[in-house]
């Protein structure tokens, strides 16, 4: 019989001590679901691969910062922040590129395109939503992504973004208000009605990391 499977905390202690084999086991255990969740937020597979790699480089460097218990939520927080960094870097590169790239939906456009039905944006083309979303400040966009696109609870969004729960609530309210106003302005420009973004459900969602 083989040795008992090590838990996440034990693996992270080993990684902090410089055990590369422990990092490989942690990768095998968590890389799959992390890739799935990253792909939900970014449709570009190359960016997702880079973010996943950066996540485990960060784990290798920062394993000693983990405070015990299951690693799922901690790993997702690292991965989500690396994704935000990657998307910002790509946006800056595109903004200052000497030759403009052909028009293409942004990452927010592609993700918001899937928001339909009672918990999302019903009846809006993602181009309008993406344009309106682009008029929000980056802090408001991040909160909107976390609470609407990912469907996270206020507590989960606070953990993901590293801000207090009260800040998540106030930014979410402000983001929805400003997004409604931007959509209304776009509707006026094209001569049609705009429908507001739905308020996210307050019902409990699955915790970070996919564990109960």
């Amino acid at each position: 019989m083989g040795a008992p499977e090590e838990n996440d905390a034990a693996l992270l202690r080993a990684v902090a001590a410089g055990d590369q084999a422990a990092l490989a086991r942690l990768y095998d255990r968590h890389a799959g679901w992390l890739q799935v969740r990253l792909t939900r937020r970014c449709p570009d597979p190359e960016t997702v691969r880079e973010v996943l790699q950066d996540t485990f480089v960060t784990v290798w460097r920062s394993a000693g910062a983990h405070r015990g218990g299951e690693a799922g939520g901690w790993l997702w927080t690292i991965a989500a922040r690396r994704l935000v960094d990657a998307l910002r870097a790509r946006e800056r590169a595109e903004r200052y590129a000497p030759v403009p790239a052909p028009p293409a939906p942004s990452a927010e456009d592609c993700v918001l395109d899937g928001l339909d039905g009672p918990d999302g944006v019903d009846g809006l083309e993602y181009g309008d939503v993406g344009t309106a979303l682009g008029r929000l400040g980056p802090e408001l966009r991040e909160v909107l992504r976390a609470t609407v696109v990912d469907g996270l609870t206020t507590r989960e969004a606070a953990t993901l973004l590293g801000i207090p729960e009260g800040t998540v609530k106030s930014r979410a309210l402000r983001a929805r208000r400003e997004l409604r106003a931007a959509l209304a302005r776009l509707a006026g420009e094209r001569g049609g009605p705009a429908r507001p973004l739905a308020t996210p459900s307050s019902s409990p969602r699955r915790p970070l990391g996919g564990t109960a």
Side-chain angles (χ1 to χ4, degrees):
M1 295 179 62
E5 185 179 21
E6 295 171 284
N7 62 29
D8 289 339
L11 285 174
L12 283 166
R13 286 194 297 270
V15 172
D19 188 339
Q20 294 184 6
L23 180 67
R25 291 195 294 276
L26 197 70
Y27 181 93
D28 290 341
R29 184 178 296 180
H30 292 285
W33 70 262
L34 282 170
Q35 183 171 9
V36 169
R37 292 199 69 175
L38 287 167
T39 301
R40 284 184 58 207
R41 293 179 66 121
C42 176
D44 178 25
E46 183 61 31
T47 299
V48 169
R49 282 193 293 270
E50 291 176 359
V51 168
L52 193 62
Q53 179 179 345
D54 288 347
T55 296
F56 282 92
V57 169
T58 302
V59 170
W60 175 253
R61 295 172 177 170
S62 308
H66 186 251
R67 295 293 178 251
E70 295 301 316
W74 186 70
L75 287 169
W76 173 242
T77 298
I78 294 172
R81 287 175 174 168
R82 296 290 78 77
L83 179 59
V84 169
D85 291 343
L87 293 179
R88 284 175 173 169
R90 187 175 70 180
E91 289 172 359
R92 285 195 297 269
E94 291 173 353
R95 186 179 303 124
Y96 296 109
V99 179
S106 67
E108 293 90 348
D109 292 342
C110 294
V111 175
L112 285 169
D113 187 29
L115 285 177
D116 53 9
D119 291 327
V121 182
D122 184 14
L124 282 171
E125 294 183 357
Y126 71 77
D128 288 339
V129 179
T131 300
L133 190 69
R135 296 182 181 181
L136 303 182
E139 293 180 346
L140 299 185
R141 287 202 304 271
E142 287 178 359
V143 167
L144 205 59
R145 285 196 203 105
T147 57
V148 177
V149 177
D150 277 345
L152 300 182
T153 64
T154 299
R155 178 175 297 180
E156 289 172 337
T159 299
L160 172 64
L161 301 174
I163 58 179
E165 291 182 38
T167 303
V168 172
K169 292 178 182 178
S170 62
R171 287 183 183 175
L173 289 171
R174 181 182 167 195
R176 288 195 295 272
R177 183 168 60 248
E178 292 191 11
L179 188 61
R180 288 192 199 100
L183 288 170
R185 286 193 296 271
L186 285 170
E189 292 168 6
R190 68 171 187 269
R195 299 179 64 180
L197 186 67
T199 301
S201 171
S202 59
S203 60
R205 305 294 182 112
R206 187 174 64 171
L208 290 172
T211 57

